[in-house]
């Protein structure tokens, strides 16, 4: 089966930096996604990694190591509005089209003032 | 910014009844999906749809479920005979062609089966 693990909860203070880790074991690999989900809302796309290395997008960066089956999402200059669940998702399907995603259970991040 | 629209936002139905959840994907997207999230659990894939047919479905998507794109804009999920365990948030998503785009999810339909 497909296994995606991430911590259940994390806390941090406003202005700090937090790193949310994700490890995966899947039948194939066609990319890893990070989504943000506020309570009761839809997930929103944050980042996509398919090659090893760091992708930076403003305050958010995502890192991938395919050989280790590992990714992290780095959030800098934390704001209260960053309190949300962060979902790691893997596309195991090969080819040029986007197939199903397998999601982890999400990491609930609480940012304190 | 383009949105995926889902209706209704909440639906309460009696066990055994049929429900239809509706979605309007982003107009130039070609791939459509349904996912669900039982309260407190992970987001789970149900089905993907491309070129007017199902391209993949999960083990959850049994004979009680069906999808349709009845016209050029709507994408529907039908549950034929609802069970208590079908209670969940159902998300529609769409994606343009290409693997480096994340989905755009709709805001979801909260289905409660009583």
């Amino acid at each position: 089966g497909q296994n995606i693990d991430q911590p259940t909860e994390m806390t941090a203070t406003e202005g700090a930096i937090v790193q949310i880790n994700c490890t995966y074991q899947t039948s194939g690999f066609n990319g890893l996604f990070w989504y943000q989900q506020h309570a009761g809302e839809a997930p929103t796309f944050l980042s996509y990694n398919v090659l090893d290395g760091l992708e930076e997008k403003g305050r958010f960066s995502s890192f991938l190591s395919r050989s280790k089956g590992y990714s992290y999402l780095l959030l800098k200059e934390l704001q209260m509005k960053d309190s949300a669940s962060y979902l790691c998702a893997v596309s195991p399907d090969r080819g040029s089209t986007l197939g199903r995603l397998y999601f982890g259970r999400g990491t609930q991040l609480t940012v304190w003032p | 910014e383009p949105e995926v629209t889902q209706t209704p936002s909440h639906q309460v139905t009696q066990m055994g009844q049929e429900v239809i959840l509706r979605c309007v994907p982003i107009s130039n997207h070609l791939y459509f999906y349904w996912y669900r999230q039982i309260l407190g659990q992970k987001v789970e894939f149900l089905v993907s749809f491309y070129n007017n047919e199902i391209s993949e479905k999960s083990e959850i998507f049994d004979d009680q479920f069906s999808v349709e794109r009845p016209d050029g804009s709507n994408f529907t999920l039908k549950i034929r005979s609802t069970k208590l365990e079908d209670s969940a948030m159902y998300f529609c998503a769409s994606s343009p062609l290409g693997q480096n785009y994340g989905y755009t999810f709709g805001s979801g339909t909260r289905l409660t089966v009583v």
Side-chain angles (χ1 to χ4, degrees):
Chain A
Q2 320 292 350
N3 202 34
I4 297 161
D5 286 316
Q6 49 183 134
T8 307
E9 291 179 331
M10 297 184 74
T11 60
T13 52
E14 219 174 355
I17 299 173
V18 73
Q19 178 175 311
I20 302 174
N21 296 324
C22 171
T23 56
Y24 63 91
Q25 292 171 304
T26 54
S27 55
F29 184 82
N30 202 39
L32 186 143
F33 297 81
W34 284 96
Y35 282 84
Q36 180 190 63
Q37 186 179 28
H38 286 99
E41 296 183 13
T44 55
F45 171 72
L46 290 177
S47 69
Y48 169 75
N49 294 72
V50 66
L51 299 175
D52 286 358
L54 190 68
E55 294 279 342
E56 296 188 76
K57 239 191 209 182
R59 293 190 299 116
F60 293 2
S61 305
S62 56
F63 171 83
L64 176 68
S65 168
R66 293 180 63 158
S67 61
K68 293 184 175 148
Y70 167 70
S71 173
Y72 67 73
L73 180 69
L74 194 70
L75 293 77
K76 301 176 191 172
E77 300 167 18
L78 282 172
Q79 302 173 10
M80 299 290 289
K81 67 178 182 179
D82 297 328
S83 292
S85 184
Y86 290 85
L87 313 180
C88 175
V90 173
S91 169
D93 297 329
R94 303 197 180 280
S96 62
T97 56
L98 181 61
R100 66 188 289 181
L101 294 184
Y102 289 88
F103 282 83
R105 291 189 173 273
T107 298
Q108 182 62 47
L109 174 67
T110 302
V111 180
W112 299 102
Chain B
E1 191 170 326
E3 286 185 344
V4 175
T5 306
Q6 288 187 245
T7 54
S9 54
H10 293 88
Q11 172 104 38
V12 180
T13 189
Q14 289 203 323
M15 196 167 54
Q17 295 296 304
E18 175 183 285
V19 294
I20 297 177
L21 310 183
R22 300 181 194 278
C23 170
V24 179
I26 294 173
S27 61
N28 63 345
H29 284 189
L30 300 176
Y31 289 78
F32 314 117
Y33 308 85
W34 284 100
Y35 280 76
R36 79 172 186 191
Q37 187 175 32
I38 295 170
L39 189 64
Q41 298 191 24
K42 64 173 87 171
V43 176
E44 300 175 292
F45 170 80
L46 292 177
V47 65
S48 58
F49 193 87
Y50 170 69
N51 202 26
N52 285 320
E53 60 183 25
I54 290 174
S55 44
E56 189 177 1
K57 58 184 180 180
S58 73
E59 53 285 350
I60 301 168
F61 194 89
D62 61 21
D63 293 342
Q64 298 293 336
F65 292 87
S66 61
V67 289
E68 212 175 35
R69 190 154 158 82
D71 52 44
S73 58
N74 290 286
F75 179 50
T76 61
L77 174 70
K78 184 193 291 187
I79 310 174
R80 227 177 309 281
S81 176
T82 49
K83 304 189 271 281
L84 294 176
E85 53 266 36
D86 294 327
S87 295
M89 183 74 100
Y90 286 81
F91 292 109
C92 173
S94 69
S95 174
L97 184 61
Q99 68 180 20
N100 59 340
Y101 291 90
Y103 300 152
T104 300
F105 281 91
S107 52
T109 294
R110 180 165 297 285
L111 176 66
T112 303
V113 182
V114 297

